[in-house]
């Protein structure tokens, strides 16, 4: 195996701490897997194992497959010499080994995301009844007070998300509800953390009563167990002789501490020796801070302190023109960004082409390959996108193509436009049609079961579950459902001449109608089942894949929890919740389950996804839409989505204020102005997000921005800078 010049020093690693910073497309997964195999081949790990910790479940499977295949190629049967898992999987192993060391019962359970949302929502509702509603109103601005409707759940969903983020922040920093109460005077009367403390207390109480811990607890308790129990600590240190961490720019403090402890080498004299710890990542791809407690400062610190520090700066993914554009964004940010504190958003490391490996080179195209369009409206963007996609696919049918958009709602919108134009696509978002298909089917089945004499609900259900061409399907279903529902269920209508002739339109659709009708009849015959059992029975009848089975089990679990709270759900109520695409509980669960499977782009389908979900993927051609000021702010004086317009100025970013208060409780220095600091962090993360998006493209890149009079929005300053760069370089190429 021949390695590039920037990979060779990494492959010489034998032990100690090593930091590897890898530019997009440098092959960090490849080199990490190769180094793991080399350690195993040379038996450097003996008598222990090599541990690889990565961020996503899908990445776990990718690493396992790569390492296994590489070992097989070398004729080595050593699958027992390594383990690959997420940080939560590792923490669970620690707790299962000695739950008592963390103060847990051996039968402890981990609460899933759906149950967590249910418990948190329940805690918020109790708080509202006990005076929280009045406190909430006191946070509202004059405008917010006029617009507020206590029956509307829109603002309360925001509040639930704020609560979730800040409770996670408290937990990961070891701050209990009791500690918050003890420091009431330090926090002050208008403290966001103190306002949320009752919700935190109720949530913790519900977890304890039911024997649950959440994902944050797992990390914190695993760390405490390793610190407090010497035998447990030694066991894991001896079990894993080398520790690798992938995507370490997305680590939080507790994760870093756990891996540092496990990687320590302890001698016979009980004195600490060197750590065999390798961390691989890219500071310029740190884009998860808005959603998690991750922070790139921990990788920055490791880069300064590691025994060895290498940069993989050669990448073969993109054309030189695309790499030059990404490099220009880095250079502009570091040297010229008007917000001085945002000049550190990107690390000054440039992507270089591959030059030193035979048979490997960067892709090339006959044209410049990068285009930027400024459109007059969002409607024009959609129209232009469809035109360019059609043109591109007609010329390059063998190439993969992706459209990246900021919001899940726009993913669905663009996907619908593509389908209207007979262009096949995959939606990668928490509200994509594929991921929510089983949720929609179940919602429509339960809706019909709640009102079995409704022709509208029956028609909607059959349209959802029958396969085939939409137009032909519509004709057949509309004709059959013009009869009485009871006659259709009895199948007597299929003896009529008019219905029999429908078989001539499409025999497969007609036969599928009869097949699915009999399935619905079987389900109707079991209406006396408890609702959660009925949901599982419906899954059995539908003959689902593993992902969809898991989703139905979550829905059944959700219903069981609702019923346990003496809040029995009717068929119609659960149907409405399932069919509400804004329901964060069900969309989040679908997202988690489908992400485990991973995704591989294919030329036959256009990928439509958000900027965040594109990370880790690559396509021949990438469209970047909505490059506007509102999404990519340039100045701290701009508008920020993280700020809630309906709160008073001093509360408009409660998450930022709450995080600053957590630091106050930890007796750390509180930043100059939490809201301004949060704006700077948003600007920094958005710059990195744009960098990640640009580097997804291999051969072609199309960027679009537009004007929006309603939102008083216009193309981002970054778009204008990129457009200028494209014009200058296109002329010289």
């Amino acid at each position: 195996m021949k390695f590039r010049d920037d990979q060779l020093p990494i492959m010489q690693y034998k032990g100690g701490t090593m930091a590897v910073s890898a530019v997009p497309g440098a092959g960090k997964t490849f080199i990490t897997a190769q180094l793991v195999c080399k350690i195993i081949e040379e038996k450097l790990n003996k008598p222990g194992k090599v541990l690889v910790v990565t961020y996503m479940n899908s990445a776990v499977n990718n690493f396992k497959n790569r390492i296994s295949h590489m070992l097989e190629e070398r004729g080595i049967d050593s699958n027992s010499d390594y383990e690959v898992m997420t940080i939560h999987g590792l923490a669970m192993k620690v707790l299962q080994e000695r739950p008592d060391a963390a103060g847990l019962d051996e039968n402890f359970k981990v609460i899933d995301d759906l149950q967590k949302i249910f418990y948190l929502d329940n805690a918020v509702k109790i708080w509202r009844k006990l005076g929280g509603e009045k406190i909430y109103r006191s946070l509202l601005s004059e405008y917010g007070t006029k617009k507020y409707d206590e029956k509307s759940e829109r603002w309360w969903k925001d509040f639930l998300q704020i609560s979730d983020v800040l409770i996670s922040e408290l937990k990961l920093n070891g701050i209990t509800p009791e500690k918050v109460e003890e420091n009431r005077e330090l926090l002050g009367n208008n403290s966001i953390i103190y306002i949320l403390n009752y919700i935190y207390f109720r949530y913790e109480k519900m977890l304890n009563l039911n024997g649950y811990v959440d994902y944050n607890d797992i990390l914190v308790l695993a760390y405490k167990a390793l610190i407090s129990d010497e035998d447990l600590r030694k066991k894991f240190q001896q079990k894993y002789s080398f520790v690798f961490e992938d995507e370490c720019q997305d680590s939080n403090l507790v994760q870093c501490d756990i891996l540092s402890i496990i990687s320590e080498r302890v001698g016979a004299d009980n004195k600490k020796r060197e750590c065999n710890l390798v961390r691989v990542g890219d500071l310029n791809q740190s884009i998860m801070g808005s959603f998690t407690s991750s922070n790139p400062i921990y990788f920055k610190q490791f880069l300064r302190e590691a025994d060895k520090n290498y940069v993989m700066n050669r990448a073969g993914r993109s054309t030189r023109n695309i790499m030059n554009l990404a490099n220009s964004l880095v250079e502009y940010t570091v040297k010229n960004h008007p917000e001085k504190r945002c000049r550190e958003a990107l690390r000054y490391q440039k992507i270089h082409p591959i030059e030193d490996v035979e048979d490997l080179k960067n892709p090339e195209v006959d044209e410049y390959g990068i285009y930027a369009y400024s459109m007059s409206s969002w409607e024009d963007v959609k129209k232009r996108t469809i035109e360019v996609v059609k043109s591109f696919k007609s010329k390059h049918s063998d190439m993969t193509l992706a459209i990246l958009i900021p919001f899940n709602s726009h993913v669905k919108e663009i996907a619908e436009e593509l389908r209207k134009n007979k262009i096949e696509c995959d939606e990668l978002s928490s509200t994509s049609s594929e991921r929510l298909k089983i949720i929609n089917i179940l919602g429509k089945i339960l809706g019909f079961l709640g009102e079995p004499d409704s022709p509208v609900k029956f028609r909607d259900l059959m349209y959802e579950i029958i396969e085939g061409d939409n137009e032909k399907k519509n004709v057949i279903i509309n004709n059959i459902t013009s009869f009485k529902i009871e006659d259709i269920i009895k199948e007597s209508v299929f003896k009529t001449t008019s219905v029999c002739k429908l078989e001539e339109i499409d025999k497969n659709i007609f036969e599928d109608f009869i097949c699915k009708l009999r399935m619905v009849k079987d389900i109707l015959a079991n209406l006396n089942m408890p609702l959660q059992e009925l949901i599982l029975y419906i899954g059995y009848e539908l003959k689902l894949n593993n992902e969809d089975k898991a989703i139905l089990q979550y829905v059944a679990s959700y219903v069981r929890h609702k019923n346990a709270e003496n809040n029995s759900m009717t068929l119609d109520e659960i149907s409405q919740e399932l069919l509400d695409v804004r329901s964060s509980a069900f969309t989040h669960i679908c997202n988690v389950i489908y992400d485990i499977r991973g995704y591989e782009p294919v030329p036959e389908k256009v990928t439509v996804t958000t900027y965040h979900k594109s990370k880790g993927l690559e396509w021949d051609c990438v469209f970047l839409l909505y490059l506007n000021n509102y999404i990519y702010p340039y100045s701290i004086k701009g508008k920020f989505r993280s700020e809630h317009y309906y709160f008073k100025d001093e509360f408009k970013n409660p998450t930022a204020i709450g995080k600053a208060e957590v630091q106050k409780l930890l007796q750390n220095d509180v930043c100059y102005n939490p809201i301004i600091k949060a704006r700077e962090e948003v600007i920094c993360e958005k710059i990195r997000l744009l960098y990640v998006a640009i580097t997804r493209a291999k051969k072609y890149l199309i960027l679009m921005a537009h004007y929006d009079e309603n939102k008083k929005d216009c193309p981002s300053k970054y778009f204008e800078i990129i457009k200028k760069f494209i014009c200058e370089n296109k002329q010289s190429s």
Side-chain angles (χ1 to χ4, degrees), residues 69 92 98 103 112 156 185 197 272-273 282 333 347 370 394 420 458-459 496 503-504 602 698 703-704 714:
H69 183 64
M92 276 296 291
R98 283 291 308 277
D112 59 50
W156 285 103
E185 288 186 17
N197 199 45
K272 291 180 184 176
R273 304 294 187 221
D282 182 7
T333 301
R347 190 184 191 210
I370 308 175
S394 67
K420 279 181 192 174
F458 181 68
R459 190 181 302 119
T496 61
E503 189 173 0
E504 296 171 9
V602 292
K698 293 158 73 174
L703 305 99
M704 292 194 200
C714 62

Side-chain angles (χ1 to χ4, degrees), residues 611-637:
Y611 284 91
H612 279 93
K613 282 193 172 294
S614 72
K615 188 168 177 290
L617 297 171
E618 58 185 52
W619 296 266
D620 294 305
C621 177
V622 173
F623 285 66
L624 307 183
L625 307 189
Y626 227 117
L627 294 173
N628 285 29
N629 269 329
Y630 187 50
I631 307 302
Y632 291 97
Y634 183 74
S635 164
I636 58 171
K637 295 176 182 177

Side-chain angles (χ1 to χ4, degrees), residues 107-318:
N107 297 316
F108 78 93
K109 300 170 288 185
V110 181
I111 195 168
D112 59 50
D113 290 297
L114 189 145
Q115 291 167 314
K116 179 185 177 181
I117 291 168
F118 179 78
Y119 278 15
L120 263 180
D121 187 48
N122 192 272
V124 170
K125 285 174 180 172
I126 294 170
W127 175 77
R128 287 174 68 178
K129 288 178 183 176
L130 295 175
E133 189 87 34
K134 185 178 178 182
I135 295 170
Y136 182 80
R137 286 174 185 269
S138 73
L139 304 178
L140 298 175
S141 63
E142 187 177 339
Y143 174 83
T145 303
K146 287 178 184 176
K147 293 289 183 180
Y148 178 65
D149 176 5
E150 66 180 60
K151 293 180 181 177
S152 173
E153 291 299 311
R154 182 168 59 93
W155 290 354
W156 285 103
K157 282 184 178 179
D158 287 344
F159 188 76
L160 184 66
Q161 186 178 17
I162 293 164
S163 303
D164 188 11
V165 170
L166 290 179
I167 288 172
S168 294
E169 192 76 10
L170 288 163
K171 284 194 169 206
L172 288 170
N173 283 283
I175 301 171
T176 63
E178 292 74 23
K179 186 171 181 178
V180 174
E181 186 64 44
E182 289 168 10
N183 288 274
R184 181 176 183 178
E185 288 186 17
L186 176 66
L187 290 168
N189 293 328
N190 292 324
S191 161
I192 293 294
I193 291 297
Y194 189 74
I195 287 171
L196 294 179
N197 199 45
Y198 181 79
I199 297 168
Y200 184 16
F201 168 77
R202 289 294 308 185
Y203 171 67
E204 285 291 274
K205 190 173 182 181
M206 282 187 272
L207 289 180
N208 293 334
L209 283 172
N210 292 282
Y212 281 118
V213 292
D214 67 18
Y215 285 108
N216 293 314
D217 291 324
I218 292 171
L219 295 182
V220 173
L221 293 173
Y223 171 67
K224 287 182 178 177
L226 289 168
I227 287 292
S228 61
D229 190 314
E230 187 179 349
D231 291 337
L232 179 68
R233 185 167 64 252
K234 280 184 179 178
K235 183 168 185 175
F236 276 85
Q237 288 170 343
Q238 290 166 1
K239 183 175 184 179
Y240 302 119
S241 48
F242 286 84
V243 177
F244 285 73
E245 183 187 11
D246 181 42
E247 300 286 5
C248 60
Q249 75 277 353
D250 295 321
S251 288
N252 59 44
L253 180 59
V254 181
Q255 177 171 340
C256 289
D257 287 343
I258 289 172
L259 296 181
S260 295
I261 290 169
I262 289 176
S263 65
E264 283 175 2
R265 303 298 97 213
V266 180
D269 56 359
N270 283 331
K271 289 183 179 179
K272 291 180 184 176
R273 304 294 187 221
E274 64 179 14
C275 294
N276 287 339
L277 176 61
V278 179
R279 285 190 162 125
V280 185
D282 182 7
L283 290 170
N284 292 353
Q285 295 189 70
S286 175
I287 59 172
M288 304 305 294
S290 301
F291 311 101
T292 69
S293 59
S294 69
N295 195 320
I297 64 169
Y298 305 119
F299 186 35
K300 282 183 182 177
Q301 183 179 345
F302 189 73
L303 285 167
R304 290 192 301 268
E305 297 173 355
D307 300 332
K308 299 180 181 69
N309 188 331
Y310 300 111
V311 177
M312 285 204 301
N313 55 14
R314 297 199 181 279
R317 173 185 293 164
S318 308

